[in-house]
Amino acid sequence: MTATISPTGGARAGSPAGSPPVQETPAPAPEPAGTAPHPPVSGPPVPRSRRERLLFGPQARWVRPSAALLLVLTAVLYLWNLEATGYANSFYAAAIQAGTKDWTALLFGSLDAGNAITVDKPPAALWIPALAGRIFGFSALSMLIPQALMGVAAAGLLYLTVKRVSGPAAGLLAGGALALTPVAALMFRFNNPDAMLTLCLVLAAYLTTRAIEKAGWKWLAAAGAVIGLAFLTKMLQGFLIVPGLALAYLWAAPATLGRRLLHLLAAAAGIVVVAGSYLVLFQLTPATVRPYMAGSETNSFLELTFGYNGLGRITGSGGGMPGGGNAGGPGGNGNVGFGGAAGITRMFGTSFGGEVSWLLPAALILLAAGLWFTRREARTSTTRAALLLWGGWLVITAGIFSFMSGTVHPYYAVALAPAVAALVGIGSVELWRGRAYWPARVVLAVTVLATSVWSAVLLGRDPAWLPGLRVIVVVLGALAAAALLLRVDSMSALPVRFRKAATSGVVILSLLAGGLGTTAWTLATAVQPHSGSIPTSGPTASAMGGGFGAAGRTAGGGGTATTSGLAGGPGGAGGETASAELTALLKSSDAKWSAIVSGATQAASLELATGTSVIALGGWNGGDPYPTLAQFQAMVDRGEIGYFISGGGMGGMGGGRGGNSEVATWVAANFQAQTVGNTTVYKLGA
């Protein structure tokens, strides 16, 4: 989408009608007669290695320092005071801890080192932090620092990807926009699988961009392999960007249609090799030597993929929860309770809006404008290919998130952040280059003004927080839009040095108008420690779902470990810290599993507090059919479980299809209850 203008104001010969005219390169001035020729170069140029070309190749002097500064500032943002987050989501923290103790638990993503039951996700997101824990010792920091570094890598990869299409300025803008998206700062400082998922998606986009340039099937196969890894991180969500990537390659790669289709098969093969190899490994491993697959009724990885973590999320079948439970909280409506009402405006609503929509209007405007201005370019246009890639990613992913009626959480929106950032970087820089062409100038001005107004709307959703900032961003947006429309940077009456200063001023004004809101919200997010299973961004540390997954901090993160709802009222679940008596009791157990309790978050929190293995009866919400009464009785007969803890969370009140009511009834009928601290427990065995 070339958008510069010729000195005469006319379009370059052969340029499409309706597209911005193009800069004519003036012919070099002839040398005066009698001047000596330039001295010859002494010897042929010395070939440079790939590393030398990367570090010392011909680029403007500001490019590499600016890229380095982007990475450094992103690292500071994501690593600063990270220990305050503690164990974040205890559900995943316990699984990572288990992976540091047992290789089978690491391979299959078991919630406990005894390998009773997995988390309800594939295991790839647990592998890197668990390996870090094995090397450096398990702690909050050994778990969270890899997540933060994934964020730095994602910003750097996005910079490199966009730079290949629209230059370093666009790459820097895209990388910075990703780093300063609130939900990105939230997830790259947390231990949910979304950090690794996002990194995999950006890497796949980079590899596809490289493949498009020269129709390279090897690059495309590598992209498919990374998509396979994304599947092993968060299952079908990893596939949402595939249509956009495939469309961009099929449209723009410089090869025949037949070869392009054949290359896409290579990408599919990459997906199958990576994702399929693990699936086969899981399915062929005897169930007796691996943990039960949480979230499934039949101990099946495939069932989890297409059921609870697949169509159940989209259609809401079974409430989108294992065991047929509903995720909606008190209202009983999962989509309203966590993500707002399904519909085209969900990404702008109160649940998702503050997470990712700060630059979303700009991305959509620039996507539409970019596709229009490039409509007559050659099929192999890399700019239009990039718009198709990132636009397909954005539209399809946002569409699925907007209309899915099963379980949907606001932090899922981090998967949108790279596409939004890339479109903003590419579109705004290309339009800036063509600002002499009035339609490009108008679109750019409208984009800046709309972004500033929308930022003010989002800031207004927390009226007590920096109320004056709303006024500032709107004023900046109006000034920037006016400056762009009037082209104050090119007024001929100004001396050249003042025109350069005016150009810099307009750029800075536009960046502040569009980015001040999201930057402030992101910084407010980063300074707040977050915990729980459904964290949200913003100036207030919050986690929907109360204490679900909210573990406190131990030696790795400071503070006192909690059990997130184990030691409440008499004999049941509540929301206080585990008593010292209960913690000491479980630590003293020499059984394979010190205890069994309904619900995974309760089991996970006890594991973190005691360092022992605890079985999550019924999985995440107590609804999985594991262990059955017969399986539980056999474990008790073998002396493998120390204590049964009454109560628990979600499905732990005697319900759930897993038969935990039968287990609880059998325990109460055959063993003596005792109160430990403020919790009712049963010692299993003699």
Side-chain angles (χ1 to χ4, degrees), residues 375-450:
R375 68 193 185 280
R376 295 182 182 177
E377 287 194 4
R379 177 184 64 81
T380 54
S381 165
T382 55
T383 303
R384 186 173 54 206
L387 293 172
L388 291 173
L389 187 155
W390 298 109
W393 174 336
L394 175 63
V395 171
I396 293 173
T397 304
I400 295 294
F401 288 169
S402 295
F403 291 97
M404 60 191 293
S405 55
T407 302
V408 56
H409 300 314
Y411 64 79
Y412 291 179
V414 69
L416 292 174
V420 171
L423 290 170
V424 168
I426 294 169
S428 58
V429 169
E430 296 289 355
L431 286 175
W432 171 259
R433 291 170 179 158
R435 63 193 183 281
Y437 180 62
W438 72 264
R441 191 164 66 249
V442 169
V443 172
L444 194 57
V446 169
T447 301
V448 172
L449 183 59

Side-chain angles (χ1 to χ4, degrees), residues 294-297 303 308 317-326 618 620-625 651 655-658:
S296 71
E297 294 188 53
E303 183 198 336
Y308 162 52
S317 58
M321 294 288 288
N326 199 297
W620 164 251
N621 72 339
D624 288 337
R657 71 178 181 226

Side-chain angles (χ1 to χ4, degrees), residues 256-277:
T256 63
L257 178 60
R259 291 188 65 189
R260 280 175 273 155
L261 290 170
L262 191 62
H263 292 175
L264 288 178
L265 290 179
I271 296 175
V272 170
V273 167
V274 174
S277 60

Side-chain angles (χ1 to χ4, degrees), residues 6 45 77 87 100 195 308 344 414 424 434 484 631:
S6 69
L77 176 64
Y87 287 137
T100 66
Y308 162 52
I344 197 170
V414 69
V424 168
L484 289 165
Q631 290 171 325

Side-chain angles (χ1 to χ4, degrees), residues 20-331:
V22 182
Q23 177 88 30
E24 295 288 353
T25 303
E31 294 185 359
T35 56
H38 295 292
V41 178
S42 57
V46 179
R48 289 183 170 182
S49 67
R50 182 185 298 271
R51 176 177 175 274
E52 289 175 323
R53 291 196 303 271
L54 176 65
L55 296 177
F56 308 110
Q59 293 191 70
R61 286 187 293 179
W62 60 268
V63 172
R64 291 186 182 88
S66 299
L69 184 62
L70 168 67
L71 298 181
V72 169
L73 292 179
T74 303
V76 171
L77 176 64
Y78 291 168
L79 290 168
W80 183 81
N81 199 29
L82 193 59
E83 68 275 7
T85 298
Y87 287 137
N89 187 339
S90 67
F91 180 57
Y92 295 114
I96 292 168
Q97 182 189 51
T100 66
K101 297 179 177 181
D102 183 83
W103 289 107
T104 300
L106 175 67
L107 177 62
F108 293 109
S110 179
L111 185 65
D112 61 276
N115 293 301
I117 192 168
T118 70
V119 296
D120 57 355
K121 298 289 187 298
L126 308 173
W127 291 341
I128 293 178
L131 289 173
R134 281 183 172 268
I135 296 171
F136 302 105
F138 174 73
S139 68
L141 284 180
S142 72
M143 175 181 66
L144 293 177
I145 286 177
Q147 307 291 100
L149 295 180
M150 289 178 194
V152 178
L157 276 172
L158 188 61
Y159 160 77
L160 292 174
T161 308
V162 172
K163 176 188 172 187
R164 299 191 71 87
V165 175
S166 294
L172 289 170
L173 185 55
L178 172 60
L180 294 173
T181 301
V183 72
L186 178 69
M187 283 293 101
F188 288 123
R189 295 172 56 89
F190 211 69
N191 62 343
N192 279 21
D194 301 78
M196 183 168 178
L197 172 70
T198 305
L199 176 59
C200 288
L201 299 184
V202 176
L203 178 56
Y206 171 79
L207 295 170
T208 303
T209 299
R210 296 296 301 266
I212 290 172
E213 293 173 355
K214 295 183 179 179
W217 70 269
K218 294 180 181 178
W219 289 104
L220 205 59
V226 173
I227 292 293
L229 184 60
F231 170 82
L232 294 180
T233 302
K234 215 172 177 194
M235 292 191 161
L236 296 183
Q237 188 179 339
F239 290 166
L240 294 184
I241 71 167
V242 170
L245 271 57
L247 174 62
Y249 188 86
L250 190 61
W251 184 284
T256 63
L257 178 60
R259 291 188 65 189
R260 280 175 273 155
L261 290 170
L262 191 62
H263 292 175
L264 288 178
L265 290 179
I271 296 175
V272 170
V273 167
V274 174
S277 60
Y278 182 83
L279 190 149
V280 170
L281 171 67
F282 187 95
Q283 293 299 123
L284 294 182
T285 301
T288 55
V289 296
R290 63 163 172 82
Y292 183 91
M293 186 74 253
S296 71
E297 294 188 53
T298 59
N299 198 5
S300 167
F301 192 92
L302 281 176
E303 183 198 336
L304 179 68
T305 301
F306 295 102
Y308 162 52
N309 274 342
L311 297 179
R313 300 269 176 167
I314 297 175
T315 66
S317 58
M321 294 288 288
N326 199 297

